[in-house]
Amino acid sequence: MHVSGKELVRKIKYETKKQAQNDDSVTAINFDLQKVLITPKGRTTKFYNSRKLATYNFSIFDMANTTAICNMWYETIANRGSNEIATCIYTYFQSVEPVNKLYMFSDACSGQQRNINFIAMCLYSVINLPIQRIEHLFFVKGHSQMEGDSVHACIEKATKHAEIFSPEEWMTAVRLSKKIISHTR
């Protein structure tokens, strides 16, 4: 049952991606919160014993045109709960052209997007934005394999040996990560 559920969602995601590529009235996205980016980050033991500041990166990946948006903030600004995730998605919805169907794929994290706050934001979006219908599909735990994961891998590869002293440096590193990776290949 676990394996069939995993395969079913992947099949639906593949078909939805093709539909979004061929039909402008359909949008398909996937999104995820990257692992916590710690500050300071470096190779010396002084960093290991210092107090760490968490920086968060929430990536939204448009599957039709293969573009990603990284929403970043750090723990003194906000947490990483349902309100923050819903705000990032709602801001994205505001930039979307009028669509008949908007498909979302994500993991099944109840603290972030599988809760009443997130559902209320989706309902509000359908009522107030030029989005006719929203469908949110969840991957089986541990089997997401989303295109947005490649964005996180690119950031991690580009910053592997970097020393980072502030959250703003993380934000700059994320902006430059695709350029850095493409030049090193």
Side-chain angles (χ1 to χ4, degrees), residues 85-118:
I85 302 305
T87 300
C88 291
I89 293 293
Y90 182 73
T91 303
Y92 174 79
F93 286 172
Q94 289 176 315
S95 69
V96 172
E97 296 294 322
V99 293
N100 292 333
K101 292 181 188 174
L102 192 144
Y103 293 97
M104 300 185 296
F105 293 86
S106 70
D107 58 19
C109 182
S110 59
Q112 294 170 355
Q113 62 262 4
R114 199 170 183 171
N115 56 62
I116 193 70
N117 294 334
F118 195 87

Side-chain angles (χ1 to χ4, degrees), residues 130-184:
I131 300 171
Q132 297 298 311
R133 179 178 173 177
I134 296 174
E135 284 190 37
H136 192 174
L137 295 100
F138 299 98
F139 287 100
V140 173
K141 186 175 180 170
H143 298 284
S144 60
Q145 290 186 336
M146 295 182 279
E147 293 86 347
D149 293 339
S150 65
V151 173
H152 299 162
C154 181
I155 293 165
E156 289 169 20
K157 184 175 180 182
T159 60
K160 185 175 183 178
H161 299 293
E163 289 191 349
I164 296 177
F165 300 101
S166 72
E168 288 78 13
E169 288 183 36
W170 272 115
M171 294 170 193
T172 301
V174 167
R175 281 187 205 101
L176 297 173
S177 64
K178 184 170 183 164
K179 295 174 187 172
I180 293 168
I181 294 298
S182 61
H183 290 303
T184 59

